[in-house]
Amino acid sequence: MNLKIAVLSGDGIGPEVTLQAKKALYAIGVVYNHEFVFEDAYIGAIAIEKTGKPLPEQTLNLCRNTDSILFGAIGDPKYDNDPTAKVRPAQGLFKLRKELGLFANIRPIKAYPKLMNSSPIKKEVLEGTDFLVYRELNGGMYYGEKTVNEAGTYATDLCEYNEEEITKIAHLAFKAAQSRRKKVTLVDKANVLETSRLWRKVVTKIAKEYPEVTLNCLYVDNAAMQIILNPRQFDILLTDNLFGDILSDEASVISGSIGLMASASLGDKHSLFEPIHGCYTKAKGKNIANPIASILSVALMLEHFGLSAESKKVIAAVEKAIICKVVTVDLNVDSLFGTNEVGDFIVNYILNEGDLYFKRDFVQIGQSTIV
Ligand code: IPM
Ligand code: MG
């Protein structure tokens, strides 16, 4: 397969983790005979610096004309700490999501057996957790009208949804549930919000088209608690843009590190894959950021293009790195491995899985010298 991929590595640790993901994809190309062509473009704070815009036309045009997008992270404390800033890095991402119609953001949440101790949640609670967050990505409070009065003492953010937006993501969620444990949990705040009542009405109607799938509805405050109390109960968690943003960060605690969390953003024509962790500016350039979220985003990309064996290979390589303790400090405080070394190990595994080296127990030591 030939794929042209736009690489928007962005800000903070974005470039260094995206580099590892590119390496993994390249290695998959070598092993399975695919041609992946990468083209880099600016987005976020770096794009503002270079062009004055968080999403330059050139970047948007590139993304419209590629098969897929590999995204890093955006953001810079310079903007976060300045409420008067008119141009912000995140606007680039919002515009990209909207312009490309990327309406469904899918975030897998999984408890890795080897990492149960990295999570503050008890092992008995975590065991067997495996669910997908389906976050609506083109509507809600992110895109509603925003106002602030002249004195800067009053502000509003409008939350809007229409039936069509809810319908589109709901169908995707039910379809995903059909091939999993057949359960959709709609998370909303229907006891308070009109938009949530619309979500319930629309999703309940759509559920009738999927009789083998069970629909549950949970208020978001209760869902926030249930995710920590009993995460195994979820299969597909369907929710709006803002709730999905918040709950997916919360759910990342289950896996042991937000540095493991990948995501896919899908539309009718386009697709974008990104780690959920953000720019983590403090770690920039230190070779300590976990590249696994970005590498697992590549696995989601491969799966999306029907390259299942390739996707499984990437996941196997990541799992091997975890088993061998070739991980960054977020997963092992004593680790001597950095972003590059973890990436190299994963690439090596993809290229040379059959080698004796990977079959030998001593890789277990986490003091390996190959990387
Ligand atoms: C995410 C991020 C973004 C969001 C930020 C960077 C604007 O938190 O993708 O979850 O809020 O959507
Ligand atoms: Mg977020």
Side-chain angles (χ1 to χ4, degrees), residues 107 135 245 249 276:
R107 301 184 161 184
R135 167 188 175 194
D245 177 49
D249 266 32
I276 82 161

Side-chain angles (χ1 to χ4, degrees), residues 186-205:
L186 171 65
V187 172
D188 62 28
K189 189 71 185 169
N191 49 348
V192 179
L193 303 176
E194 213 51 69
T195 43
S196 285
R197 287 193 272 273
L198 181 64
W199 271 82
R200 268 202 194 195
K201 191 177 89 183
V202 174
V203 173
T204 307
K205 195 167 111 201

Side-chain angles (χ1 to χ4, degrees), residues 49-62:
E49 203 178 287
K50 302 272 181 196
T51 70
K53 291 182 181 168
L55 178 65
E57 278 306 311
Q58 212 180 335
T59 303
L60 184 56
N61 283 339
L62 172 73

